[in-house]
Amino acid sequence: MVFNRLRSSPGLPPGQVLTRKFPVLTYGPIPQVEPHELRLKVEGLVKHKEFSWEELMALPQAELSADFHCVTRWSRPGLHWKGIRVLDLMEHVELDPEARSVLVSCYGGYTTSLPLEDFLHPDNLLAHTLEGSPLPREHGGPLRLLVPHRYGWKSAKWVHSFRFNAGELLGFWEVNGYHERGDPWREERYSE
Ligand SMILES: Nc1nc2c(c(=O)[nH]1)N[C@H]1C(S)=C(S)[C@@H](COP(=O)(O)O)O[C@H]1N2
Ligand SMILES: [Mo]
């Protein structure tokens, strides 16, 4: 794919290049998940629970504009999202105080891991709407995690489960050499 390159601004994390597009980055096939069959599970060090689409939509709905930074160096500024704040979902979850990290699993098999404090960041959304339209399937529709303060690989598309762990259980790219935290402002692309 050819990206539209704009001049990078001081507002960009180091080593990133602006794009006006929103490229699709998916490892493996794109799963088809219908809202009525979607389940979001919380498991591991938590009181196990499953949320249906209806239950998620009944939670408070939030909006957020955020830049999106992929570790492959494109940054797409100012995307407008709607969804459920992770913190609002967690109001309905009984978390074991031993929990320190989350393994996020997706329909289709992709996984990514987050330290608990990164997962509980107030900007994080379970996003279902992008630029006023239902989230396109290739961008993770009907539901994806959005972690705007971390590199894009943490923003799991077609999200299916949050597994809370006492130690670290690394996700797909984290096992394959990407950074456990992945802060774009500190340029945490790869683990040492
Ligand atoms: N399920 C799933 N989620 C995923 C990925 C993936 O391959 N599978 N790729 C990640 C990566 S590397 C990036 S940069 C973003 C890209 O999101 P986009 O395709 O909506 O631009 O999704 C992330 N979430
Ligand atoms: Mo990415």
Side-chain angles (χ1 to χ4, degrees):
M1 186 187 288
V2 179
F3 300 156
N4 272 334
R5 283 169 193 274
L6 310 179
R7 198 170 324 144
S8 88
S9 77
L12 271 189
Q16 294 294 110
V17 179
L18 271 186
T19 175
R20 258 175 283 157
K21 301 196 173 161
F22 188 20
V24 173
L25 250 282
T26 306
Y27 186 88
I30 295 182
Q32 175 114 42
V33 187
E34 300 299 333
H36 72 268
E37 62 188 14
L38 182 140
R39 292 293 178 277
L40 181 66
K41 299 191 282 183
V42 293
E43 49 196 351
L45 288 176
V46 70
K47 191 169 174 203
H48 289 217
K49 197 167 173 178
E50 289 191 18
F51 295 86
S52 68
W53 181 258
E54 290 69 28
E55 287 166 330
L56 292 169
M57 295 307 129
L59 294 175
Q61 301 294 310
E63 300 190 24
L64 175 88
S65 284
D67 301 347
F68 194 99
H69 310 294
C70 176
V71 71
T72 63
R73 297 185 184 274
W74 56 264
S75 285
R76 165 62 212 255
L79 289 171
H80 186 245
W81 304 87
K82 281 186 203 165
I84 300 106
R85 292 171 81 213
V86 167
L87 286 184
D88 287 332
L89 178 89
M90 294 305 286
E91 290 282 309
H92 301 266
V93 169
E94 282 178 50
L95 193 57
D96 188 315
E98 297 282 290
R100 292 287 176 274
S101 72
V102 189
L103 185 69
V104 184
S105 301
C106 303
Y107 289 97
Y110 182 87
T111 57
T112 186
S113 49
L114 290 158
L116 189 65
E117 62 270 25
D118 285 349
F119 178 73
L120 297 178
H121 191 285
D123 286 347
N124 296 349
L125 284 187
L126 287 159
H128 53 66
T129 300
L130 174 61
E131 304 295 335
S133 297
L135 182 58
R137 190 176 154 216
E138 65 272 21
H139 284 302
L143 194 72
R144 80 179 294 168
L145 180 64
L146 180 69
V147 183
H149 68 303
R150 294 295 175 250
Y151 281 120
W153 87 79
K154 305 278 188 183
S155 290
K157 304 192 278 189
W158 316 288
V159 62
H160 185 35
S161 136
F162 297 133
R163 177 174 287 275
F164 296 90
N165 303 295
E168 281 176 317
L169 212 62
L170 297 180
F172 175 71
W173 285 120
E174 292 85 2
V175 165
N176 284 289
Y178 282 15
H179 200 279
E180 284 156 38
R181 188 169 49 201
D183 182 348
W185 299 97
R186 300 192 220 185
E187 223 178 340
E188 292 171 339
R189 299 176 191 274
Y190 311 107
S191 50
E192 312 285 271

